[in-house]
Amino acid sequence: LGLDQLNQSAVNIREHKEGCLRVVTIASVVTMFIGKILKAFDANYPNVAVSLEVQPTQRVFEYITSGQCDLGLSTLPMENPAVVSRPVLRGQSVCIFPKGHRLHAKARITPKDLRGEEFISYRSDSVYRHRVDQVFSQAKVDRRLRYELRTTDAICKLVANGIGVSVIGPSFPGVKLESGIEVRPFSPALHGDLAVLYLKHRASGRLIHAFCETVVQTLRASRRRK
Amino acid sequence: LGLDQLNQSAVNIREHKEGCLRVVTIASVVTMFIGKILKAFDANYPNVAVSLEVQPTQRVFEYITSGQCDLGLSTLPMENPAVVSRPVLRGQSVCIFPKGHRLHAKARITPKDLRGEEFISYRSDSVYRHRVDQVFSQAKVDRRLRYELRTTDAICKLVANGIGVSVIGPSFPGVKLESGIEVRPFSPALHGDLAVLYLKHRASGRLIHAFCETVVQTLRASRRRK
């Protein structure tokens, strides 16, 4: 009886006659955008079921190419001829530091401003980590590198707790980060797009197209409001 | 030259004479606790390097058993004789709904209170999802099941945006969730511990022991403050 009804629950999901969309994204998109995007999608497609996977950036591609998810929303897409990568928002690197830090007087942070600082990094298998390290290496600036974390959320928590400073990104216009930190543009700028990703041979999929349009319009509206 | 200096960065991390601790945890622990825990660890072990991986619950065990990480901090540990699972905080299921929802007058939510509601679920490969489904199945209560999401953060965002209600957990005393939602105890209670995990044969590791103690003391202090 219990099992019958569990099966019934499963049927409920499959019953959505207008279909199901399986999306994979990264933790920082959940923090920044997912509520608004899914609210807009819900308003336009009230009978579509949505499944949302959250994975580190470098796994998003696996979920798309393996067909475990229909659509990705992530930063720093890799080049892959089988995958369409459609940029939806341009982001840029920012330096973050705790409130009250000596850097607060500066309008813009360069590598030499961070000489000798405790620097909180992304994990060493992150593409962005290597782009940041390269900038400091070219500027011949040494930092203390003791913490490396997977997610932007985790980096923001450490910085808010006064443990160090970081360069995170891409950061998007109007997005509110952790309270307790200050944010400044970082120069040289490291650009990075937020992109919608899907398999090329599925480009004509009705729900994929619908979700892309929802993402584009939601992000456009959220930029206009700032 | 550039490459030399990149190598130098790598050396910086390896140079921490007191060692390196690789921790794996889940997104909701990052949201709730990681800032305080790492701040306390930083104060006591200022020369230890820390690497933090963030993965879905069911992957945390892979990272521990494969030796990719030394220590895990996660909910709902599986039974595994090779892994020590040391509970550090007892959590309990809560029902969340948007502010202004008809449920706001209730002090405690039961399955029948949620009959016919749009219910936001965890993804179907989550243990917690099945425990919740079973409770509703036993109570013979049907819900609309259209959204399933990987993380508690994502579920909270959808509920805050008015898309539906959910039962999430385990939720811990004193933890602040997304603003824009209301939280009530859910009955029957689904318990769930937050536990520190490590391989049994590494139980004597000095840094593993140190990190466990930091977690226990930080969480105990954060409960006392409430």
Side-chain angles (χ1 to χ4, degrees):
Chain A
L1 192 80
L3 245 174
D4 275 359
Q5 286 177 333
L6 270 185
N7 289 339
Q8 186 53 42
S9 296
V11 170
N12 284 345
I13 282 204
R14 283 197 301 266
E15 262 177 1
H16 293 284
K17 296 287 182 338
E18 299 194 33
C20 170
L21 191 65
R22 299 163 306 163
V23 178
V24 56
T25 192
I26 56 178
S28 56
V29 166
V30 170
T31 307
M32 295 185 289
F33 301 121
I34 208 68
K36 281 177 189 166
I37 290 170
L38 291 183
K39 183 182 185 168
F41 193 73
D42 177 70
N44 291 326
Y45 297 88
N47 297 310
V48 175
V50 176
S51 174
L52 181 76
E53 179 62 71
V54 182
Q55 289 287 337
T57 311
Q58 61 270 51
R59 278 200 191 268
V60 167
F61 259 74
E62 287 173 39
Y63 276 77
I64 300 297
T65 52
S66 68
Q68 288 178 266
C69 287
D70 308 305
L71 195 137
L73 182 57
S74 179
T75 53
L76 289 172
M78 293 186 297
E79 296 299 323
N80 181 325
V83 176
V84 177
S85 165
R86 182 174 161 194
V88 289
L89 199 58
R90 166 133 270 204
Q92 202 162 305
S93 51
V94 291
C95 176
I96 60 173
F97 50 87
K99 280 202 199 311
H101 192 280
R102 65 169 178 86
L103 291 169
H104 86 275
K106 297 207 170 267
R108 168 174 296 274
I109 311 288
T110 63
K112 70 176 169 39
D113 296 326
L114 301 181
R115 193 180 303 278
E117 290 285 338
E118 185 78 65
F119 189 94
I120 319 286
S121 297
Y122 288 98
R123 285 206 48 171
S124 44
D125 59 352
S126 130
V127 178
Y128 204 80
R129 158 70 178 269
H130 285 286
R131 291 176 66 192
V132 171
D133 282 355
Q134 208 155 13
V135 164
F136 281 92
S137 162
Q138 278 160 3
K140 300 187 171 53
V141 168
D142 281 334
R143 303 154 290 163
R144 287 189 288 164
L145 299 171
R146 198 155 62 83
Y147 282 93
E148 55 170 49
L149 312 180
R150 170 64 65 201
T151 64
T152 301
D153 280 3
I155 291 178
C156 288
K157 297 281 182 199
L158 257 67
V159 172
N161 275 278
I163 294 170
V165 305
S166 188
V167 172
I168 57 166
S171 176
F172 301 99
V175 168
K176 201 183 161 303
L177 293 166
E178 185 74 19
S179 64
I181 63 179
E182 296 209 48
V183 183
R184 297 288 186 282
F186 180 74
S187 172
L190 297 166
H191 294 288
D193 290 331
L194 185 67
V196 177
L197 311 165
Y198 48 85
L199 286 174
K200 189 171 270 174
H201 73 268
R202 302 198 47 198
S204 62
R206 190 183 60 92
L207 290 180
I208 288 176
H209 181 75
F211 196 86
C212 287
E213 288 312 305
T214 303
V215 169
V216 168
Q217 282 166 28
T218 307
L219 298 184
R220 194 179 292 155
S222 100
R223 291 192 64 169
R224 259 202 308 270
R225 270 199 301 278
K226 310 304 165 187
Chain B
L1 193 79
L3 246 175
D4 275 359
Q5 287 177 334
L6 271 186
N7 287 339
Q8 186 54 41
S9 298
V11 170
N12 285 344
I13 282 203
R14 285 198 299 266
E15 261 177 2
H16 293 286
K17 295 290 179 340
E18 298 194 33
C20 170
L21 190 67
R22 300 163 305 163
V23 178
V24 56
T25 192
I26 56 178
S28 56
V29 167
V30 170
T31 308
M32 296 186 286
F33 301 121
I34 209 67
K36 280 176 189 168
I37 290 169
L38 291 183
K39 183 183 185 168
F41 193 72
D42 178 69
N44 292 325
Y45 297 87
N47 296 311
V48 174
V50 175
S51 173
L52 182 77
E53 179 62 71
V54 182
Q55 289 288 336
T57 311
Q58 61 270 48
R59 277 199 191 268
V60 166
F61 258 75
E62 287 173 40
Y63 277 77
I64 299 298
T65 53
S66 69
Q68 288 177 268
C69 286
D70 307 305
L71 195 138
L73 182 56
S74 179
T75 53
L76 290 172
M78 293 185 296
E79 295 300 322
N80 182 324
V83 175
V84 177
S85 165
R86 183 176 161 190
V88 288
L89 198 60
R90 166 133 271 205
Q92 201 162 307
S93 52
V94 291
C95 176
I96 60 174
F97 50 86
K99 279 201 201 308
H101 192 280
R102 65 167 178 88
L103 291 169
H104 86 276
K106 297 207 169 266
R108 167 175 298 276
I109 310 289
T110 63
K112 70 176 171 37
D113 295 327
L114 302 181
R115 194 182 303 278
E117 290 285 338
E118 186 78 65
F119 189 93
I120 320 286
S121 298
Y122 288 98
R123 286 204 49 172
S124 44
D125 60 351
S126 131
V127 177
Y128 204 80
R129 159 70 178 271
H130 285 287
R131 292 176 66 193
V132 171
D133 282 355
Q134 209 155 11
V135 164
F136 281 92
S137 162
Q138 279 161 3
K140 299 187 172 50
V141 168
D142 281 336
R143 303 155 290 163
R144 287 189 288 162
L145 299 171
R146 198 155 61 84
Y147 282 93
E148 56 170 49
L149 314 180
R150 170 64 66 203
T151 64
T152 302
D153 281 4
I155 290 177
C156 288
K157 298 281 182 198
L158 256 66
V159 171
N161 275 279
I163 293 170
V165 305
S166 189
V167 172
I168 56 166
S171 177
F172 301 99
V175 167
K176 202 185 160 303
L177 294 167
E178 186 74 18
S179 62
I181 63 179
E182 297 210 50
V183 182
R184 295 288 186 281
F186 180 73
S187 173
L190 298 166
H191 294 288
D193 289 331
L194 185 67
V196 177
L197 312 165
Y198 47 85
L199 286 174
K200 189 173 271 174
H201 73 268
R202 300 197 49 198
S204 62
R206 191 181 60 91
L207 290 180
I208 288 177
H209 180 75
F211 196 85
C212 286
E213 288 311 305
T214 303
V215 169
V216 168
Q217 283 166 27
T218 307
L219 298 184
R220 192 179 293 155
S222 99
R223 292 191 66 170
R224 259 201 308 271
R225 269 199 300 278
K226 311 303 165 189

